[in-house]
Amino acid sequence: MDFTFTDDQLLFCKSVQEFLQQEVTPAAVRKSWELDTGRSDERWQQLVNLGVTAMLVPEQFGGLGMNELDFVLLAQACGQVALPEPLVETALVATPLLATLAQRDSRCASLLEKIATGERKIAIGHAANNLVCDAHVADFLLLPSGNQIHLVPRDQVKLVAQASVDPSRRLFAVEWSANDETCLVSGPEGVALLAATLNRGALGAAAQLIGLAEAMVQMTVKYTSDRHQFGKPIGSNQALKHHMANCAVKIEFAKPTLYRAAYTVSKRPVHADFAVSHAKVAAGEAALLAAKNSIQSHGAMGYTWECDLHIFMKRAWALDKFWGHAGFHKSRLHQWLMNPNAKIGADKTFGEQVA
Amino acid sequence: MDLNYTAEQIAFRKEVRSWLEQHVPARPLQSFDTKEGFEQHRQWEQTLAKGNWGMVTWPKEYGGRGCNLIEWLIFEEEYYRAQAPLRVNQNGIFLLGPTLMEYGTPEQKARFITKMASGEEMWAQGWSEPGAGSDMAAIRSKAIRDGDEYVINGQKVWSTRAVFADWVFCIFRTDPASDKHHGLSFIFVPLNAPGVTVRPIPQLNGLPGFAEIFFDDVRVPVANRLGNEGQGWNIAMSTAGFERGLMLRSPARFQETAKRLVALYREHRNDIVDLSIEDAVVKSFMDAEAYALATYQTASRLMSGGKIGPESSVNKIFWSELDQHMHETAMSILAARAELLPHSSAAGDVGTWLDGFLFAQSGPIYAGTNEIQRNIIAERMLGMPRK
Ligand SMILES: Cc1cc2nc3c(=O)[nH]c(=O)nc-3n(C[C@H](O)[C@H](O)[C@H](O)COP(=O)(O)OP(=O)(O)OC[C@H]3O[C@@H](n4cnc5c(N)ncnc54)[C@H](O)[C@@H]3O)c2cc1C
């Protein structure tokens, strides 16, 4: 029993985090809003060079052969800077799905190799979301159709852009028709893979939500230390201190649920529904509270387009509802817990473990 | 990260479980806030000590087993699962014990730890005073040096279990010219010393769970001082770290309450019309689970050389509010019967929920109020301006 990350995991995360903090400043995020695609090819290539798109690609396809647990801290770091590029959806959600199919499907195998090198981009749809993020910059789309999953070149679909409140998010309704040629998998296996995809999507969203919450608290601590009223920093007032302390409590207790979810998805996927839903609900609550308390602590400044806070707030509001809203995940928890056979109790935090 | 128990850890769990199955009293003991109940609990402590289960994390020389923190968590999980009695000597074993090991002289360790572990000597904590609650640095009770002794005058209040305990560990002002957190020292006083008067204070449930202690020219040897003169504040803060941090409230306690809450809800599900109740039950369960996960995370970190920091304040807020929420939810399920004392004939299965509900009201107050914890988090963890 050891609930810590390895030094390697922490080190890798730190190097990527440093890059992100340096490159993906609020000013840089605003700049990407001006771009047609909203996405910086240059930044994507830099991320590829750091190896992050290759992390979950199996070694035999030119990747690093890592897992969701290795990636979860990076996903959190993406949230901390509100990264506009779809790194989490690509590396943590689409890649493992392709990897599952790559052994028997050469299309998936070759696509994986090219995702690792940055030559190809992928977007992923799911019934939980309706819309597909970043479909416009993808070469291929992974799309569900009933119990099937299809791999469709972008030039075979019609994209209808849907504007989000978060100017960083680029969402599309996808019009397409399924055919045998594009179908990768169907039947019970398709259902299982779609379910696993939902869990990875929710895991990635939860990680980003926690990162976003941390960023909002950090911004607010700085703002309330600098801004003076009544001859002293507004942050010296207890009401504001307690707003931030409440966020810290939510964040600190969401984190271990996130890390358990990442572990469970990578090591015991059959038990992942419960762990992932717990993390998604806890992370969503932390991020929503951080948004609410942060805007309040900023006063009118927080209600402006100019203040960087909305970069993070809007992402939090969006991701809280993406890959399953709170109602969806809570209902999974309810079902699990209300089952008379549910194995619960102090000795079963990590499931039933007997010799 | 490896969230599997090792074969040794699983074997340890089995060993704990089977010992508890054989030894936990079949019928619940009386409240330790009654004289009889206190003695029953003292005997239980002695039973634990005889099996070397009193404080599993302590070194073997003090009656422990030298267990690491993961094993401690396993022990606690089994302990609450078995519904074993609450620990009457918790102020001693969870708070003073670890502090003694860090700051005590070899003589003090030999003298005090062993008897604490064996259940022979029960401890109370004497820090708060009428004028020093949240502002503990306002302590005014004095211990003035006179040769090899201190002469103590003043008053402590809210001292848990002091009515029946044998000793109290206190913070006194040893430098009368000092103020705030300077000039304080950490001193042990036997509660039967001449000049000590203990006045019981009934709590919400009517039982004398804490007491006021008056000191009137009480003399104790200088050897009863822990650490250096004037070091009292720092030592107290490290004790408070244990109190809020890891040891005082292990997650198993809340997980077992959550489990009982789920059972209570399932039983009454068909009569419940308030749709928010099921959500509160699930939330309680998830939060108890999150507290366990966070504790495993902290334990793992401490075992690989980390130190406990401001997370002890975050913990304290979380568990105390969780406990309140769980009991509020149980009261909502019991509805009109919730107010009934368990011996009333119409009480049905109200059980210990009301008792727990009353006690849960004190969680956000003791061990440093939650408002004070929020100040600490904002200032020391997040770096917000003090003034
Ligand atoms: C069940 C129980 C057991 C206890 N056991 C012991 C024991 O064994 N030994 C012992 O020494 N003490 C014990 N205490 C006392 C406990 O430590 C104090 O109650 C606590 O420190 C608060 O002090 P107070 O009660 O004087 O409240 P006060 O300090 O008067 O506080 C009253 C209210 O004002 C708020 N407040 C005060 N100052 C601030 C501030 N700066 N910012 C914001 N809000 C503030 C508090 O948060 C609280 O809500 C126990 C208390 C309880 C309830």
Side-chain angles (χ1 to χ4, degrees):
Chain A
M1 178 63 60
D2 173 20
F3 201 168
T4 58
F5 287 93
T6 64
D7 288 345
D8 283 349
Q9 285 166 334
L10 293 171
L11 220 67
F12 194 67
C13 172
K14 193 159 166 255
S15 66
V16 178
Q17 196 177 23
E18 272 165 14
F19 165 82
L20 290 172
Q21 300 278 353
Q22 210 159 37
E23 297 295 321
V24 191
T25 57
V29 172
R30 284 174 189 273
K31 230 186 193 161
S32 59
W33 294 349
E34 310 297 323
L35 302 173
D36 270 352
T37 61
R39 300 293 174 257
S40 153
D41 291 336
E42 191 193 338
R43 190 151 59 224
W44 188 257
Q45 196 51 49
Q46 287 173 313
L47 289 167
V48 169
N49 295 346
L50 286 169
V52 288
T53 58
M55 278 178 76
L56 277 79
V57 174
E59 280 170 294
Q60 67 183 113
F61 304 120
L64 300 174
M66 295 175 160
N67 62 32
E68 294 84 352
L69 184 60
D70 297 309
F71 194 85
V72 67
L73 292 172
L74 295 189
Q76 194 179 330
C78 292
Q80 284 163 352
V81 298
L83 178 72
E85 280 71 31
L87 178 62
V88 176
E89 309 254 317
T90 301
L92 184 69
V93 191
T95 298
L97 174 59
L98 290 170
T100 318
L101 298 166
Q103 292 302 343
R104 58 167 193 239
D105 194 309
S106 59
R107 288 171 293 181
C108 296
S110 91
L111 191 53
L112 276 176
E113 284 169 3
K114 292 185 173 134
I115 288 173
T117 59
E119 290 161 78
R120 289 280 182 279
K121 289 184 189 148
I122 182 96
I124 184 162
H126 194 281
N129 298 331
N130 292 323
L131 303 178
V132 180
C133 279
D134 287 273
H136 63 316
V137 291
D139 301 290
F140 288 89
L141 281 71
L142 282 162
L143 296 171
S145 170
N147 60 19
Q148 301 179 334
I149 303 175
H150 292 255
L151 183 65
V152 191
R154 191 187 63 206
D155 54 22
Q156 290 179 22
V157 304
K158 184 173 170 232
L159 300 180
V160 184
Q162 309 290 327
S164 164
V165 65
D166 174 1
S168 294
R169 277 169 73 74
R170 299 297 156 105
L171 298 168
F172 298 88
V174 181
E175 292 169 17
W176 66 295
S177 49
N179 63 55
D180 287 352
E181 219 167 283
T182 55
C183 183
L184 294 174
V185 60
S186 61
E189 202 190 352
V191 172
L193 288 178
L194 285 167
T197 297
L198 172 63
N199 279 341
R200 291 201 189 90
L203 176 71
Q208 292 177 81
L209 284 162
I210 290 178
L212 289 160
E214 291 176 307
M216 288 187 271
V217 167
Q218 202 180 11
M219 276 184 76
T220 307
V221 167
K222 172 140 185 19
Y223 182 80
T224 59
S225 302
D226 294 344
R227 159 110 177 135
H228 283 61
Q229 283 292 279
F230 301 102
K232 61 179 189 179
I234 54 172
S236 64
N237 292 297
Q238 209 166 52
L240 298 197
K241 284 183 183 168
H242 289 197
H243 275 333
M244 289 302 109
N246 287 339
C247 295
V249 173
K250 283 265 187 217
I251 292 169
E252 289 311 310
F253 282 91
K255 280 184 196 169
T257 71
L258 173 69
Y259 304 148
R260 184 205 20 199
Y263 178 92
T264 312
V265 165
S266 73
K267 309 267 159 124
R268 295 182 198 147
V270 281
H271 297 296
D273 287 8
F274 173 78
V276 165
S277 286
H278 188 185
K280 180 70 167 41
V281 171
E285 282 178 7
L288 294 189
L289 185 72
K292 187 193 271 189
N293 288 0
S294 293
I295 188 171
Q296 182 66 22
S297 303
H298 275 75
M301 183 53 86
Y303 192 64
T304 64
W305 191 269
E306 178 195 337
C307 176
D308 291 330
L309 182 63
H310 75 125
I311 296 175
F312 302 88
M313 280 198 299
K314 288 172 175 171
R315 188 72 57 84
W317 292 332
L319 287 183
D320 177 59
K321 310 288 181 279
F322 217 61
W323 292 110
H325 49 70
F328 170 84
H329 288 287
K330 279 187 188 170
S331 74
R332 291 212 305 193
L333 298 173
H334 280 233
Q335 271 167 24
W336 185 86
L337 192 61
M338 291 306 151
N339 176 348
N341 299 321
K343 299 227 179 327
I344 61 176
D347 54 321
K348 299 193 184 65
T349 308
F350 301 101
E352 198 142 41
Q353 295 188 18
V354 284
Chain B
M1 192 177 295
D2 178 2
L3 303 185
N4 293 302
Y5 296 104
T6 63
E8 292 78 42
Q9 286 165 343
I10 290 173
F12 178 74
R13 184 187 291 286
K14 275 192 170 161
E15 192 188 348
V16 178
R17 188 172 292 187
S18 86
W19 189 88
L20 289 168
E21 273 165 7
Q22 287 159 34
H23 291 86
V24 169
R27 291 218 283 131
L29 308 183
Q30 281 174 266
S31 163
F32 51 31
D33 293 327
T34 63
K35 193 166 176 53
E36 268 174 25
F38 193 90
E39 285 314 312
Q40 290 172 356
H41 280 79
R42 190 197 290 267
Q43 262 167 32
W44 167 247
E45 287 297 318
Q46 288 168 357
T47 307
L48 278 171
K50 266 191 223 124
N52 285 339
W53 293 110
M55 272 314 277
V56 292
T57 54
W58 287 10
K60 294 201 171 85
E61 53 185 306
Y62 300 124
R65 290 172 176 255
C67 286
N68 63 35
L69 289 172
I70 299 294
E71 289 160 334
W72 169 70
L73 283 165
I74 294 171
F75 173 79
E76 290 281 302
E77 286 162 5
E78 292 303 317
Y79 193 86
Y80 283 99
R81 181 180 176 276
Q83 301 184 351
L86 293 177
R87 305 299 298 271
V88 64
N89 206 13
Q90 60 179 7
N91 291 300
I93 54 185
F94 297 148
L95 307 184
L96 181 58
T99 315
L100 255 169
M101 290 190 211
E102 195 169 335
Y103 295 95
T105 62
E107 294 75 32
Q108 286 175 325
K109 290 183 195 173
R111 164 66 189 82
F112 293 111
I113 296 184
T114 318
K115 289 194 170 164
M116 181 191 299
S118 70
E120 215 176 317
E121 290 179 345
M122 299 289 157
W123 285 83
Q125 175 188 10
W127 293 4
S128 304
E129 296 184 3
S134 296
D135 184 10
M136 206 181 89
I139 282 173
R140 279 172 41 199
S141 296
K142 289 186 184 57
I144 303 299
R145 184 86 178 246
D146 180 22
D148 286 343
E149 290 182 329
Y150 284 111
V151 182
I152 302 170
N153 280 287
Q155 179 189 353
K156 295 290 174 184
V157 71
W158 318 129
S159 196
T160 301
R161 308 281 106 70
V163 178
F164 307 111
D166 308 294
W167 284 81
V168 59
F169 59 96
C170 298
I171 315 278
F172 293 118
R173 203 161 281 290
T174 40
D175 175 1
S178 66
D179 69 348
K180 305 234 170 86
H181 43 272
H182 305 287
L184 298 170
S185 299
F186 200 114
I187 294 173
F188 307 148
V189 185
L191 282 166
N192 62 3
V196 173
T197 309
V198 177
R199 196 178 69 83
I201 306 176
Q203 297 181 326
L204 280 191
N205 63 2
L207 297 175
F210 46 30
E212 235 170 339
I213 309 176
F214 298 91
F215 301 86
D216 189 7
D217 282 334
V218 176
R219 290 183 166 264
V220 299
V222 169
N224 284 14
R225 189 192 66 225
L226 185 62
N228 297 327
E229 200 163 274
Q231 207 189 351
W233 179 265
N234 289 339
I235 302 177
M237 287 305 108
S238 87
T239 309
F242 293 119
E243 181 169 15
R244 296 195 288 264
L246 216 50
M247 288 295 191
L248 184 66
R249 292 289 176 254
S250 67
R253 175 183 180 130
F254 305 111
Q255 289 180 291
E256 286 300 314
T257 307
K259 184 177 166 181
R260 283 197 296 127
L261 183 62
V262 171
L264 183 73
Y265 176 75
R266 284 186 190 149
E267 204 139 301
H268 292 272
R269 197 173 187 175
N270 295 334
D271 321 324
I272 291 173
V273 289
D274 179 346
L275 294 178
S276 71
I277 289 182
E278 184 170 308
D279 204 42
V281 172
V282 176
K283 170 110 181 97
S284 294
F285 180 81
M286 304 321 294
D287 282 351
E289 185 99 344
Y291 184 56
L293 294 173
T295 309
Y296 268 92
Q297 193 180 275
T298 306
S300 299
R301 200 171 56 71
L302 295 182
M303 280 165 63
S304 45
K307 280 208 174 275
I308 191 141
E311 72 242 46
S312 58
S313 293
V314 178
N315 280 356
K316 204 257 142 168
I317 291 175
F318 196 80
W319 64 247
S320 57
E321 294 184 354
L322 162 63
D323 200 36
Q324 254 184 342
H325 185 245
M326 287 197 289
H327 285 92
E328 284 162 4
T329 306
M331 301 302 272
S332 303
I333 295 172
L334 293 169
R337 284 181 301 126
E339 67 172 299
L340 296 179
L341 298 181
H343 59 263
S344 314
S345 64
D349 63 348
V350 300
T352 56
W353 285 111
L354 178 63
D355 230 22
F357 174 77
L358 293 179
F359 185 59
Q361 306 311 308
S362 71
I365 300 171
Y366 68 79
T369 69
N370 286 10
E371 288 74 22
I372 297 295
Q373 304 311 324
R374 287 187 165 87
N375 294 347
I376 294 175
I377 292 167
E379 289 167 13
R380 294 190 214 151
M381 186 172 151
L382 303 177
M384 291 177 80
R386 272 168 183 273
K387 288 195 178 102

